[in-house]
Amino acid sequence: MTGKSKNSGLNNPSNKEIEIEKLRDLNKWTRLLEHSKTLISHSRLGLLAKFSIAESIFESYLFSNPMIFSSAQPGELAKNSKTLYNHETSLDESKKLYDAEFMFKQVLEKAEDSNLPVEACILLIKLLYSQMRYDEAIKQLNNARIKQKIAEHIQNLKYYMQSKQLIQQQQALQVLTTCQSLRQMQLFAELHSIRGLCLEIKSRNEEHRRDDQDIIDSYELSSLFAIQHSLTLHQKYPNTNSPTNLNQEENLDLINPLYENAIQKAPLYYIKRGEQQMGVRKFRELLLKKNIQSITSIRQILFKKFAECLLFYVPSAKYTQISGGSEDDKRKRVYKPSNQDEEVLLCLSLSQYMASKEVMLFRQKQFKQIRELTFNNAMNSLDLLLVYLAYHRSYNVLIDKFEMALKYSFEEFSIWYQYGLTLMCDQKYYKAYLVFKECIRMRPDHVTCHLLLAQIALENLLLIDESLEWCEKVHEITDQKNKKALIINGCALCLKAKLQNQYAMEINYYEKALEIFKKANSIDPTDYLSLFHIAHCNAILRQIPEAIEFVQKALKYKPDDKDSLHLFALLLTSTKNYESAHTIILKASALFEDFELYYTKIRIEEMLFGFNKSVNSILNLIVAYKQKLQNTSDRALPSVSLSYPGVMSQAKNVALSIQSVDSNHSLETVALLNLQHSYKLNESIGKKVSMLLQIDRLEAKTGSIQQGQNFQQNILLIRILTLIGEFYLRHDKLIDAEMCCQEIAVLNSMSYLHIYLKGRIHEYKQEFSQAKKHYQNALSINPYHIPSLQQLSIVLCYLEDFHLAEKMIRDAISLNNSLPDSWHILARVLDYINDSQSALKCYQTCLQLEATNPIIPFTTLTRIL
């Protein structure tokens, strides 16, 4: 490509000039240096040869030591850049650069050609700037020849910007970028980029900041020259980009920091000045340009910068969509973002994908520097994508991005750690557990990873022993006791206590947990979480005054804590102060839509006001479940009082109508049908409750809920329906209880709670044999279900099987001997078999426990952090 023709030789200077021009166009500085040394003694080309030698030396130096711009000081180079005054620069390099600077100045004085002094001055400015001699560079920018060229270019730029029609723009661009050589076009692009950088430095140092128009014009000119240079280069020399022609000695436009700087900053300054639409348009014009190497090389950076601008600087009101594409794009069905979020996500995804492809995978020492550079670039793109997707809770997409990043993240702790946190947010706890264990292998002294492992093991995987081990390791790697580790340790002991079959062992674990919680509180006496756990343990151990004292302290430091308010209400019910408990639970349920709070409210209102008042809270309980399911308040229903029986039975028409709805109907259609039915029938809670429950059945059929989430929500709904069914049975509403049982059967006919409720219904009907059978079936599924044991014992008494009844109730007491109902049943059984003294002791124990018994057990409150 660069070989000489048959007529070329030393006696033909025109061919030599052509050869020099070609080598300069292609930036082949090593070959240019060798070629110029043969012409240094030539009478007419001697000055050009010396200039080419100086240019080759300087450009080769820049190729080995590229400019790195400072992010803290706009316009300046980074402090760690290699300069003449830096001890890292060798004496040989320093001497060569001094000779190059001297030669550029000599050309300025001696050259007769009009173009050569301009090019020498531009290279001198570039050299001075690269060595951080900013004042001297700014002084050279005021050279008469340079000022004349800049003025001509700015005048042509204004004409180009004012052109409305495409033909006029093309003609203006051709006039603007007309140059005698490709090298001159490249130098003009670099000149305007350096001028913009110097203007940034001057603007920062001046007291009164000037308008940024000069800086914008400089970067606009640099971008136009850079793009036109790239296009012309690959048109004139189409084979320069082939693998056989590229080597390490070439400094093509694809790796030119001054190009990158100008192309990035031109749109950014428009946005900075408040012209968001112009900045967005400039970004899009750059990104949509095809087959331009100077843009292709920095496309990844442009995508990231554009996404940042859309995120932080372009409000939604000023966002404009991408205009319609060409007919070819429409035919190929090219994707076009329809809103700002889609465009941001597209830009961030492309930036991250391109950056990850460029990461150096080789880990040898010679590739260390480039690997760190490419890895940090990929990390920056991934971090920005992480912030955006985490804000929108798109954790599943983020997990895919991290899994792609793992291929170049061997032993990279930060990637693995963020991957584990993302898995936690997406509720993939077991995988997160394994990822954090890998993080511990990389960083054995990382306390947070140990704490996260302990929390996941306890709260999500029920690996109690492993959780205790991780807490112990936290204490080993830290000099002082860790408060969070102590709280997790105490919670693990509390959970272990719940799993004990022997009451003595259970109390022992609770006492150990209480001591640990007190240690955690001694580290931070104002920590409401440790105060809550101390109060909770004291409540379970029936130390009610101490529990009330500590829960009041917890509420003092955090008055709106849901669990503290709930525990306080339960403690007040244990002292039989139901009015104050009702006040507290009303406050808590107004702040939080929680199943446990609503059920406690139902029980307290049942105790205080009877059926008519407490049934109102049942609707709120079902509505809270629906809002948890759909995460919206659109279906929240007003509270309607109810004073007549048969609530659930009057909703059969609604249930039947919903069952007949085709599965292809949307949920909005179903809700509308339900609303129409509710207006046709009487306005009762029963219709609305059944409506809400039947919608769950339709959602399960249409598959609108994911399978795992649907399973968890069904479990919660079964619990709610079981408690409501028992509530109806206590108030002689048999039909409504049967409706609840039918709903549970639809959700899971093999649930032990469904079988237990069927047993309760048969017991209410005095069908004791059937009730016994169902209780036994429930216990075969869950042997530790205390209500089944209690009710089975009662049914066995009716069937006069007193010895088996005694065994069943003693099993219930061995599971939890703090329930007065169990002691009361045992006393009755012993009374039936004429063991009066034992029965008397059981009655006494029952009375003692009843004095401090809450309306629902304290153990129903479960909290980790």
Side-chain angles (χ1 to χ4, degrees):
M1 177 183 64
T2 57
K4 301 176 184 179
S5 64
K6 293 180 181 179
N7 298 327
S8 63
L10 287 174
N11 297 324
N12 193 343
S14 61
N15 287 344
K16 291 296 182 182
E17 289 179 303
I18 293 171
E19 185 70 19
I20 289 174
E21 179 185 344
K22 186 175 183 179
L23 293 174
R24 291 182 68 212
D25 287 347
L26 296 174
N27 293 178
K28 296 187 177 182
W29 307 119
T30 304
R31 292 180 60 182
L32 178 63
L33 181 64
E34 295 172 356
H35 186 69
S36 300
K37 285 180 179 179
T38 63
L39 302 176
I40 199 166
S41 60
H42 198 281
S43 59
R44 192 170 67 85
L45 300 177
L47 189 62
L48 176 62
K50 291 179 181 180
F51 169 76
S52 299
I53 291 171
E55 183 181 25
S56 302
I57 291 171
F58 173 55
E59 293 291 355
S60 299
Y61 169 82
L62 281 185
F63 181 73
S64 302
N65 307 282
M67 298 182 189
I68 302 173
F69 299 102
S70 172
S71 57
Q73 301 292 333
E76 296 186 6
L77 296 174
K79 297 297 182 184
N80 57 351
S81 298
K82 194 173 178 182
T83 65
L84 291 177
Y85 311 104
N86 195 322
H87 66 278
E88 295 179 358
T89 308
S90 64
L91 291 174
D92 184 52
E93 284 181 332
S94 300
K95 184 177 182 303
K96 287 180 179 179
L97 287 177
Y98 275 124
D99 291 342
E101 181 180 349
F102 176 76
M103 182 55 62
F104 292 146
K105 291 179 179 178
Q106 191 177 21
V107 170
L108 279 173
E109 295 174 359
K110 296 183 179 180
E112 298 177 357
D113 185 14
S114 60
N115 291 319
L116 195 61
V118 173
E119 295 179 9
C121 188
I122 294 172
L123 285 168
L124 179 60
I125 293 168
K126 186 177 175 182
L127 187 147
L128 294 172
Y129 180 83
S130 67
Q131 300 304 308
M132 298 187 185
R133 295 154 65 181
Y134 306 121
D135 293 335
E136 296 180 51
I138 293 171
K139 184 179 178 181
Q140 288 296 329
L141 281 169
N142 293 323
N143 183 286
R145 293 189 178 96
I146 298 297
K147 289 181 72 175
Q148 182 182 355
K149 284 292 180 182
I150 290 173
E152 291 176 5
H153 290 163
I154 290 176
Q155 184 178 359
N156 292 332
L157 175 67
K158 290 179 179 178
Y159 178 70
Y160 169 76
M161 298 293 286
Q162 292 171 0
S163 301
K164 301 296 183 182
Q165 297 181 357
L166 181 62
I167 297 176
Q168 290 180 344
Q169 284 186 348
Q170 291 176 349
Q171 292 175 351
L173 181 63
Q174 188 176 1
V175 171
L176 173 63
T177 57
T178 299
C179 298
Q180 292 190 353
S181 66
L182 279 172
R183 177 58 180 164
Q184 189 180 72
M185 192 182 297
Q186 182 181 6
L187 288 174
F188 282 150
E190 293 174 346
L191 168 67
H192 290 296
S193 181
I194 294 173
R195 179 173 177 264
L197 292 165
C198 292
L199 288 173
E200 284 190 68
I201 297 172
K202 286 179 66 177
S203 176
R204 194 181 70 248
N205 295 334
E206 290 176 353
E207 294 183 4
H208 302 288
R209 295 195 61 182
R210 69 165 103 186
D211 184 36
D212 295 330
Q213 187 59 48
D214 287 343
I215 301 175
I216 293 174
D217 290 343
S218 297
Y219 288 138
E220 284 277 12
L221 286 167
S222 179
S223 301
L224 291 172
F225 275 107
I227 293 169
Q228 196 65 21
H229 169 257
S230 181
L231 282 172
T232 311
L233 173 68
H234 294 90
Q235 289 173 0
K236 187 175 181 180
Y237 305 105
N239 295 324
T240 55
N241 204 25
S242 64
T244 56
N245 293 319
L246 287 176
N247 56 62
Q248 294 181 353
E249 296 175 357
E250 295 175 349
N251 184 21
L252 293 178
D253 56 335
L254 15 157
I255 42 175
N256 194 321
L258 291 171
Y259 280 16
E260 294 180 5
N261 171 73
I263 292 173
Q264 287 178 55
K265 285 190 174 180
L268 289 175
Y269 262 92
Y270 279 113
I271 294 173
K272 180 181 175 182
R273 200 168 65 168
E275 300 178 15
Q276 284 88 355
Q277 292 185 358
M278 175 64 77
V280 169
R281 185 168 66 83
K282 290 291 181 183
F283 265 121
R284 287 172 177 166
E285 286 177 358
L286 290 170
L287 291 171
L288 291 173
K289 289 184 183 296
K290 302 174 183 178
N291 303 322
I292 299 178
Q293 294 298 320
S294 57
I295 293 178
T296 303
S297 61
I298 62 165
R299 197 179 292 273
Q300 183 264 331
I301 301 172
L302 283 174
F303 275 125
K304 186 174 69 173
K305 293 286 185 183
F306 185 34
E308 288 178 0
C309 291
L310 288 176
L311 272 175
F312 305 119
Y313 302 110
V314 179
S316 301
K318 294 188 178 181
Y319 173 78
T320 55
Q321 292 187 7
I322 299 176
S323 58
S326 62
E327 292 297 328
D328 186 54
D329 290 341
K330 292 178 181 178
R331 188 169 58 254
K332 293 179 180 179
R333 295 183 180 179
V334 175
Y335 171 73
K336 186 176 72 172
S338 60
N339 54 51
Q340 188 171 0
D341 288 331
E342 286 187 10
E343 189 164 8
V344 170
L345 182 58
L346 177 64
C347 292
L348 289 176
S349 299
L350 289 171
S351 173
Q352 191 271 333
Y353 175 73
M354 295 171 71
S356 63
K357 284 181 64 177
E358 294 174 0
V359 174
M360 173 61 69
L361 299 179
F362 297 108
R363 308 187 73 86
Q364 288 88 341
K365 288 184 178 179
Q366 60 266 34
F367 301 113
K368 182 180 179 182
Q369 184 175 2
I370 189 170
R371 171 174 168 76
E372 289 179 356
L373 183 64
T374 54
F375 177 77
N376 290 333
N377 187 28
M379 273 293 297
N380 292 337
S381 299
L382 188 60
D383 287 342
L384 194 58
L385 190 62
L386 168 66
V387 171
Y388 180 77
L389 290 176
Y391 176 77
H392 289 277
R393 299 179 180 271
S394 301
Y395 302 117
N396 55 340
V397 180
L398 197 52
I399 286 172
D400 293 339
K401 300 296 182 184
F402 273 114
E403 287 175 351
M404 289 174 56
L406 290 180
K407 70 177 183 180
Y408 55 81
S409 302
F410 177 71
E411 297 294 328
E412 296 292 345
F413 174 81
S414 58
I415 293 283
W416 285 85
Y417 182 63
Q418 291 178 352
Y419 180 41
L421 293 175
T422 307
L423 288 168
M424 278 188 69
C425 293
D426 202 38
Q427 298 182 0
K428 296 181 179 178
Y429 297 110
Y430 184 69
K431 200 169 183 179
Y433 186 75
L434 297 178
V435 170
F436 283 128
K437 286 178 74 173
E438 183 67 16
C439 292
I440 291 294
R441 185 191 62 77
M442 288 185 271
R443 294 270 296 273
D445 58 341
H446 199 275
V447 177
T448 307
C449 278
H450 284 84
L451 292 173
L452 288 171
L453 282 168
Q455 181 179 345
I456 294 172
L458 179 62
E459 198 168 14
N460 307 111
L461 304 179
L462 291 180
L463 303 174
I464 301 174
D465 294 330
E466 285 83 345
S467 178
L468 292 170
E469 290 176 7
W470 292 118
C471 290
E472 288 299 323
K473 288 181 181 179
V474 171
H475 298 316
E476 290 174 4
I477 62 179
T478 54
D479 297 334
Q480 299 177 348
K481 293 290 184 181
N482 187 284
K483 180 186 72 175
K484 189 175 179 181
L486 288 170
I487 291 175
I488 295 175
N489 198 343
C491 292
L493 291 175
C494 288
L495 192 55
K496 206 166 188 178
K498 287 185 178 182
L499 299 177
Q500 299 304 312
N501 293 332
Q502 299 298 323
Y503 183 70
M505 291 294 294
E506 181 181 351
I507 294 300
N508 183 33
Y509 277 117
Y510 275 121
E511 288 175 347
K512 288 181 180 179
L514 181 60
E515 293 300 321
I516 291 175
F517 288 135
K518 287 182 178 179
K519 288 181 182 178
N521 184 248
S522 64
I523 297 173
D524 183 8
T526 63
D527 179 38
Y528 75 95
L529 192 57
S530 58
L531 290 168
F532 163 79
H533 283 297
I534 292 171
H536 192 207
C537 286
N538 279 320
I540 292 172
L541 297 171
R542 296 306 173 96
Q543 299 170 3
I544 304 301
E546 292 85 350
I548 292 175
E549 178 186 352
F550 280 103
V551 80
Q552 285 176 334
K553 287 182 180 179
L555 289 170
K556 175 184 176 183
Y557 296 116
K558 190 173 183 183
D560 59 345
D561 182 54
K562 180 188 73 174
D563 294 300
S564 298
L565 288 167
H566 196 182
L567 179 59
F568 190 27
L570 293 181
L571 287 168
L572 291 173
T573 62
S574 69
T575 61
K576 307 303 180 273
N577 189 357
Y578 293 110
E579 290 80 5
S580 300
H582 188 245
T583 304
I584 296 297
I585 205 68
L586 280 177
K587 176 183 176 183
S589 58
L591 293 173
F592 307 98
E593 293 177 347
D594 181 73
F595 160 67
E596 302 289 350
L597 288 174
Y598 281 121
Y599 180 62
T600 305
K601 181 185 173 188
I602 292 169
R603 292 300 305 274
I604 294 174
E605 289 178 349
E606 184 182 5
M607 185 68 67
L608 284 174
F609 311 113
F611 173 75
N612 291 337
K613 178 72 174 179
S614 56
V615 77
N616 216 15
S617 298
I618 292 177
L619 174 62
N620 296 329
L621 176 61
I622 300 294
V623 169
Y625 164 75
K626 290 304 299 179
Q627 289 178 341
K628 180 182 175 79
L629 175 65
Q630 299 174 4
N631 197 19
T632 178
S633 60
D634 293 340
R635 301 186 184 181
L637 301 174
S639 181
V640 181
S641 62
L642 184 69
S643 59
Y644 55 90
V647 174
M648 296 286 287
S649 57
Q650 293 191 23
K652 284 186 177 179
N653 293 330
V654 179
L656 292 173
S657 66
I658 297 178
Q659 288 178 4
S660 64
V661 175
D662 186 75
S663 60
N664 293 325
H665 279 75
S666 65
L667 294 179
E668 290 76 13
T669 307
V670 177
L672 182 60
L673 290 174
N674 290 329
L675 189 60
Q676 291 172 352
H677 279 292
S678 65
Y679 279 116
K680 291 177 182 177
L681 301 176
N682 294 327
E683 291 185 3
S684 66
I685 287 179
K687 299 189 304 297
K688 296 175 183 178
V689 169
S690 182
M691 174 185 71
L692 293 167
L693 299 180
Q694 292 291 340
I695 288 174
D696 288 314
R697 297 166 63 178
L698 184 65
E699 285 175 341
K701 292 177 182 177
T702 56
S704 62
I705 307 173
Q706 293 181 359
Q707 186 175 359
Q709 292 177 340
N710 197 25
F711 177 73
Q712 294 177 357
Q713 290 154 359
N714 284 348
I715 291 176
L716 177 58
L717 185 56
I718 288 170
R719 287 182 60 199
I720 293 172
L721 290 171
T722 304
L723 295 171
I724 294 174
E726 291 185 283
F727 169 79
Y728 282 130
L729 286 175
R730 284 196 299 271
H731 295 280
D732 302 324
K733 305 294 186 294
L734 178 61
I735 297 176
D736 300 288
E738 288 177 340
M739 290 289 291
C740 289
C741 191
Q742 290 174 12
E743 294 293 342
I744 298 174
V746 172
L747 296 170
N748 185 3
S749 61
M750 294 303 295
S751 170
Y752 71 92
L753 291 174
H754 168 245
I755 300 171
Y756 163 73
L757 186 56
K758 286 181 71 176
R760 289 296 305 272
I761 292 171
H762 284 295
E763 182 184 351
Y764 182 85
K765 294 178 179 180
Q766 298 185 358
E767 298 171 353
F768 299 121
S769 298
Q770 290 295 324
K772 173 187 172 182
K773 178 182 176 181
H774 283 96
Y775 290 141
Q776 287 175 337
N777 290 338
L779 288 170
S780 66
I781 298 174
N782 184 3
Y784 305 110
H785 189 231
I786 293 176
S788 293
L789 289 168
Q790 291 173 340
Q791 296 306 125
L792 178 59
S793 180
I794 293 172
V795 169
L796 288 170
C797 286
Y798 288 125
L799 296 174
E800 298 183 356
D801 191 351
F802 301 116
H803 293 289
L804 185 56
E806 182 183 358
K807 180 184 180 302
M808 291 294 106
I809 198 60
R810 287 192 183 277
D811 288 345
I813 291 173
S814 67
L815 292 173
N816 188 351
N817 68 354
S818 64
L819 299 176
D821 292 341
S822 298
W823 289 101
H824 182 259
I825 295 169
L826 179 58
R828 288 174 58 189
V829 173
L830 293 172
D831 201 10
Y832 284 135
I833 61 176
N834 297 322
D835 189 352
S836 303
Q837 289 185 348
S838 299
L840 181 61
K841 290 180 181 179
C842 290
Y843 279 126
Q844 290 174 345
T845 305
C846 176
L847 289 172
Q848 291 174 0
L849 291 173
E850 184 63 34
T852 58
N853 188 51
I855 201 160
I856 62 173
F858 291 120
T859 52
T860 56
L861 284 176
T862 303
R863 178 178 184 170
I864 308 296
L865 295 173

